[in-house]
Amino acid sequence: MSDCPFCRIVRREARADVVLEDDDVLAFRDVRPQAPVHLLIIPKRHVDSLAGAADGDAELLGKLLLAARDLARREGIDATGYRIVANRGRGAGQTVFHLHVHLLGGRAMGWPPG
Ligand code: 5GP
Ligand code: ZN
């Protein structure tokens, strides 16, 4: 989508601190980090949220999680623990309507989230 901020990052029309890229997936640092490590992992193709994913996107969705696994190792938060979050809808806190998985780590986290 032309006006989607994350599509603009995919197209390199907007700057981001990219930490991983392959044919299908892009990961970059959140501009307002909520933890010492806070990455966003997105499909390069625009999908508005998990609700917009199709059954045929199973492999793509799996790639997002495997990217989170690999990045957690690389960022050194695997042993101490990390959280992955995908907000769907404004009521859940979604503000950017391009599917993304948050990877948060490097500090203690409470449960349940507020
Ligand atoms: P949501 O609230 O939709 O689950 O998460 C959106 C996240 O994207 C927020 O944590 C916000 O800080 C981050 N964000 C919004 N716009 C940009 C941007 O242009 N660049 C980067 N790197 N992060 C962004
Ligand atoms: Zn998009």
Side-chain angles (χ1 to χ4, degrees), residues 5-6 9 16 28-32 38 40 87 93-96 100 102:
F6 289 177
I9 289 172
F28 50 91
R29 295 191 192 281
D30 196 294
V31 76
R32 285 184 294 279
H38 188 174
L40 300 172
N87 296 322
Q94 187 175 9
T95 58
V96 176
H100 50 281
H102 297 256

Side-chain angles (χ1 to χ4, degrees), residues 12-62:
R12 301 303 202 272
E13 293 169 10
R15 294 174 61 90
D17 187 355
V18 172
V19 294
L20 177 149
E21 179 168 22
D22 66 20
D23 288 347
D24 303 309
V25 172
L26 189 73
F28 50 91
R29 295 191 192 281
D30 196 294
V31 76
R32 285 184 294 279
Q34 303 300 315
V37 175
H38 188 174
L39 305 181
L40 300 172
I41 304 159
I42 70 169
K44 289 172 119 174
R45 175 166 60 83
H46 184 87
V47 178
D48 69 346
S49 73
L50 187 59
D55 290 354
D57 290 328
E59 186 175 351
L60 179 62
L61 295 174

